[in-house]
Amino acid sequence: MAIHWFKYASPASFYGLAGPMIPWFAGAAVVTTLLGLYIGLVLAPTDFQQGDSYRIIYIHVPAAWMGMFTYLVMAGWAAAGLVFNTRLSGMMVQALAPTGALFTFIALWTGAFWGRPTWGAYWVWDARLTSTLILLFLYIGYMALRASIDDPRRADRAGALLTLVGVVNIPIIYFSVKWWNTLHQGASVKPGSSSMATVMLTGMLVMAFAAWMYTIAISLARVRSIIVEREQHSAWVGELLVAEETAGTSGDVQRSKGETAR
Amino acid sequence: MSFNWCLTPISVLRRDLLLTLRRPAELMTTLFFFIIVVSLFPLGIGPQPELLREIAPGVLWVAALLASLLALPRLFAADHADGTLEQLALAPQPLSLIVFAKLVAHWLTTGLPLTLLAPLIALQFDLPASATWVLVGSLALGTPIFGAIGAVGAALTLGLRGGGVLTAVLVLPLYIPALIFGAGAVEATLGGLDAGGHLSLLAALTVFTLTFAPWAAAAAVRISLD
């Protein structure tokens, strides 16, 4: 039997689908974060060159990966939204943007703290740093555009177009910055140029997995808020809010999912 | 009767050129902005000729970039305000072609004057003749990119609060490759290197942008008109 993919393109049914998934992803995020930090901070040995300062890698690299990857996911949803004209796609792009911007910012911030002991400077105009900074600008551009459009459907479509233009430009920006960098300054210290010990790599990958789980959990939670906010005048959200009110506690929103996931 | 697909774009091009030339003050404002911004740098940094020569490529390119940015609202804003843009979107000819015609008119009245003005300002920075020629060439190749990418941003922000600043935030990150290769070409010449590689990459970027940006801008116009 074919799966009806488009069934969950409806915000109402996706709301019901997303709700029960959030605790699982959030739980996985907590468990893998604790595991990854244990591997990274306790099991992994001290680096013979950088001492303990290298341990920021367990936050830095997963954040950088997640910041880049989230933009690609946003672009995927943006393309889906423009092609199929599904409302949920625009909401997903909107829900992912703050998390992607947050991870990109964390990558830059931890990079600065890591750069100080290893390179002797908080910031160098390294190709990867510069292109990550530009990625943050792209996130900010998307959020600024969204914030200044009142009509959510127009904001969806305009944001989707901007995201796609951005994703086409990302490789161009990356390579231009890379070539610019090699022309301008001599070799800067490249972290992790030597092969990593297995335990360090394991810790980093576990932390990367934790970042994925966190991103999924938080964007599902955010998209549920966006759905309720945007669909507040529809009948099903009205029923949902009434059900919540009678149940008394906000935790009981889950209970009404049976009626909404038709 | 055959369908004349280039009739509307050509008349749009003529009309846009005519409108700008009838109000030359707008055009002159952009040019003077360029001159003033460039003149601020020696005042802020100091008049040492070696230092000025070193920063000249970047300063001239960034100033040209900002001047192009300020000229962007001219592309669509007036047509959007009086409803012309809606009529153009209804035309049977492809909107991307009409946008392309508008871009050509825009470049002829913004990018080209900036390019022609650049050698004069290069004198202020004591650029040698070889670097000045490369500067003119790189600006001629690069300014169409500013218009084309800027058109997407200008179209997306039509009729929004704080349109101008918003456009800047959207398109400035996308201008970076053009800036790198354009200013890089002049810098390479200053350093006694061949600028050919930079100029080839810049030309490739221009062709790529002019091929795809009109479509994206046309789509952005349709989104804003909805």
Side-chain angles (χ1 to χ4, degrees):
Chain A
M1 199 184 94
I3 304 171
H4 294 287
W5 292 102
F6 281 101
K7 179 191 168 192
Y8 291 110
S10 147
S13 36
F14 190 77
Y15 184 89
L17 176 74
M21 279 158 59
I22 294 171
W24 291 100
F25 284 111
V30 171
V31 170
T32 47
T33 304
L34 292 176
L35 181 66
L37 287 179
Y38 179 72
I39 296 174
L41 302 183
V42 180
L43 293 185
T46 305
D47 189 78
F48 77 99
Q49 269 182 325
Q50 301 186 12
D52 276 326
S53 72
Y54 91 93
R55 289 184 197 273
I56 206 163
I57 200 174
Y58 299 110
I59 305 290
H60 176 73
V61 173
W65 283 348
M66 209 62 228
M68 285 185 277
F69 186 69
T70 304
Y71 199 88
L72 292 182
V73 177
M74 275 172 64
W77 280 111
L82 286 180
V83 172
F84 300 116
N85 207 15
T86 43
R87 275 176 306 157
L88 184 66
S89 309
M91 297 175 182
M92 278 308 289
V93 182
Q94 186 184 359
L96 283 164
T99 308
L102 176 74
F103 273 121
T104 312
F105 181 75
I106 290 175
L108 288 169
W109 191 256
T110 53
F113 278 170
W114 192 11
R116 181 64 189 158
T118 44
W119 296 341
Y122 287 109
W123 183 265
V124 292
W125 289 93
D126 174 77
R128 278 185 287 184
L129 269 74
T130 314
S131 43
T132 307
L133 182 68
I134 296 168
L135 181 65
L136 181 65
F137 292 162
L138 292 179
Y139 277 117
I140 289 172
Y142 171 83
M143 290 192 283
L145 180 66
R146 264 219 93 93
S148 57
I149 303 179
D150 292 328
D151 172 21
R153 290 294 289 144
R154 183 184 162 185
D156 278 350
R157 280 146 55 77
L161 187 75
L162 183 72
T163 313
L164 288 179
V165 171
V167 88
V168 169
N169 272 281
I170 280 180
I172 301 176
I173 292 174
Y174 178 73
F175 282 107
S176 61
V177 169
K178 201 173 165 185
W179 290 330
W180 162 77
N181 178 259
T182 49
L183 287 172
H184 269 250
Q185 64 168 49
S188 57
V189 185
K190 288 276 185 294
S193 52
S194 58
S195 57
M196 286 178 76
T198 318
V199 62
M200 294 181 185
L201 187 66
T202 312
M204 210 169 78
L205 291 178
V206 171
M207 286 302 284
F209 188 74
W212 273 62
M213 292 300 111
Y214 168 79
T215 306
I216 295 174
I218 201 79
S219 51
L220 286 181
R222 200 177 284 126
V223 85
R224 271 166 62 100
S225 309
I226 294 169
I227 289 172
V228 171
E229 192 185 344
R230 286 224 214 146
E231 311 270 299
Q232 54 186 313
H233 301 300
S234 66
W236 74 269
V237 172
E239 289 167 19
L240 186 76
L241 294 177
V242 168
E244 189 183 343
E245 201 125 296
T246 48
T249 54
S250 60
D252 283 15
V253 184
Q254 303 289 341
R255 191 183 295 165
S256 58
K257 77 178 187 299
E259 296 109 66
T260 53
R262 283 179 285 270
Chain B
M1 195 176 148
S2 73
F3 172 67
N4 198 340
W5 56 270
C6 62
L7 193 65
T8 311
I10 287 178
S11 36
V12 165
L13 172 68
R14 284 230 304 278
R15 168 182 168 276
D16 276 18
L17 279 178
L18 202 62
L19 277 175
T20 314
L21 295 178
R22 289 277 159 82
R23 278 175 302 186
E26 273 184 55
L27 166 65
M28 298 308 285
T29 314
T30 309
L31 293 182
F32 278 113
F33 174 82
F34 179 51
I35 299 173
I36 292 171
V37 166
V38 172
S39 308
L40 287 179
F41 279 87
L43 296 173
I45 289 169
Q48 301 91 329
E50 305 79 38
L51 181 64
L52 288 184
R53 206 176 301 131
E54 201 175 316
I55 63 164
V59 167
L60 279 158
W61 257 84
V62 170
L65 188 156
L66 293 176
S68 309
L69 188 72
L70 285 191
L72 283 180
R74 267 204 347 245
L75 258 173
F76 299 119
D79 285 350
H80 179 65
D82 66 9
T84 313
L85 202 57
E86 268 177 59
Q87 302 306 315
L88 289 177
L90 289 174
Q93 284 82 5
L95 184 59
S96 51
L97 213 58
I98 296 173
V99 168
F100 186 75
K102 289 183 84 67
L103 281 177
V104 173
H106 186 75
W107 183 76
L108 287 174
T109 53
T110 313
L112 186 62
L114 286 175
T115 306
L116 297 178
L117 199 61
L120 190 68
I121 302 181
L123 287 179
Q124 284 188 320
F125 284 77
D126 196 26
L127 272 191
S130 57
T132 308
W133 281 114
V134 173
L135 174 71
V136 172
S138 66
L139 278 177
L141 278 174
T143 40
I145 298 180
F146 295 158
I149 294 179
V152 182
L156 283 177
T157 55
L158 277 177
L160 297 184
R161 280 169 270 122
V165 184
L166 187 60
T167 314
V169 173
L170 299 189
V171 302
L172 281 180
L174 306 177
Y175 280 176
I176 290 170
L179 173 71
I180 287 174
F181 295 130
V186 187
E187 242 164 73
T189 318
L190 274 179
L193 298 170
D194 183 29
H198 283 99
L199 289 178
S200 304
L201 282 169
L202 187 63
L205 198 60
T206 312
V207 171
F208 177 79
T209 311
L210 287 182
T211 311
F212 292 104
W215 269 301
V221 168
R222 290 205 192 278
I223 289 171
S224 296
L225 288 178
D226 266 357

